[in-house]
Amino acid sequence: MTRVTVSIEDDLMEAFDAFLDSRGYTNRSEGFRDLIREKLQNTKREENADGVGIAVLNYVYDHEERMLASRLMSTQHEHHNLTVSTVHFHIDHDTCLESVTLRGKLSEIRAFADKVLAQPGVRHGQLYSVPGELHVETHHHGDGDEGHAHKHEHLKITS
C-alpha cells in the first residue's frame, strides 16, 4: 500500500469529514479510496461506451398507471439478454419498487434504463453501473476420457 500526502482547503476537508461521518466511514483513507474508484469507473465508462459491465437499475413507479406494469415487463422481455434478475416489492397500495440486475454492453444497458425511466408513471429511478472486461475461459469437467471441456464467458470487474 502506498501512503500519500494531499493538501486540501479547510472548508473542503470539513465538508468531506462531515460526508464521511454521515456515511459511517471510520477513516478518511477508505473514503478517498472509494472516491478514486468511483471516478476511475466513471471515466472508464465514459471512454468505453461499447464496453461491457454489470448494473442495477432501481425505479419506483405507480402500478395503477394504465398498462405500465405490462409495458415494464415487455421492456424487460425485449432485453432478456441483459436482464439477470428482477426484484419487485410493494411500497404501498399504489407504489412499487423494482430493482433489475443487468449484465452486458454498457450502451445497451443505458438504452434499456432510459426506456424504462422514460415511461409515464415511473417516478424515480437510478442506474448504477460498473465497467468490466469479458473473459472467455475453458473449463474441464470429469476425469480422464470421460471428461469434457466447454467455454464460459465471465465478466471480470476491475477495481
Side-chain angles (χ1 to χ4, degrees):
M1 186 159 304
T2 303
R3 182 178 295 262
V4 297
T5 302
V6 179
S7 298
I8 299 176
E9 296 86 5
D10 292 339
D11 58 338
L12 182 59
M13 195 71 248
E14 287 174 18
F16 186 62
D17 284 339
F19 168 82
L20 294 176
D21 188 51
S22 71
R23 298 294 195 280
Y25 283 88
T26 58
N27 62 64
R28 288 177 174 166
S29 293
E30 192 56 38
F32 280 117
R33 285 191 290 269
D34 282 352
L35 289 175
I36 292 168
R37 284 185 200 105
E38 182 178 345
K39 185 64 174 178
L40 291 173
Q41 287 174 354
N42 290 342
T43 301
K44 186 174 182 178
R45 190 171 38 249
E46 291 166 5
E47 291 173 351
N48 189 7
D50 291 330
V52 295
I54 58 171
V56 176
L57 174 63
N58 296 306
Y59 53 95
V60 175
Y61 69 95
D62 179 356
H63 84 265
E64 293 296 323
E65 178 78 25
R66 182 165 155 54
M67 301 296 294
L68 177 58
S70 178
R71 289 194 313 270
L72 292 170
M73 175 113 18
S74 292
T75 301
Q76 287 186 36
H77 280 279
E78 290 167 12
H79 297 86
H80 64 88
N81 59 315
L82 299 175
T83 305
V84 176
S85 70
T86 302
V87 176
H88 174 100
F89 77 90
H90 308 279
I91 296 173
D92 60 32
H93 184 273
D94 299 323
T95 311
C96 297
L97 170 80
E98 284 193 351
S99 182
V100 183
T101 305
L102 304 155
R103 176 179 53 208
K105 288 180 99 176
L106 292 173
S107 59
E108 292 176 12
I109 289 172
R110 178 81 251 171
F112 169 81
D114 290 344
K115 187 171 184 178
V116 167
L117 298 176
Q119 293 288 329
V122 174
R123 296 183 188 151
H124 307 281
Q126 185 174 23
L127 178 68
Y128 176 76
S129 59
V130 179
E133 298 171 0
L134 198 59
H135 292 274
V136 178
E137 298 176 2
T138 301
H139 295 274
H140 296 276
H141 296 277
D143 295 322
D145 294 335
E146 301 294 319
H148 66 279
H150 59 274
K151 294 182 179 181
H152 289 283
E153 286 186 348
H154 294 280
L155 187 65
K156 181 178 180 183
I157 303 301
T158 54
S159 52

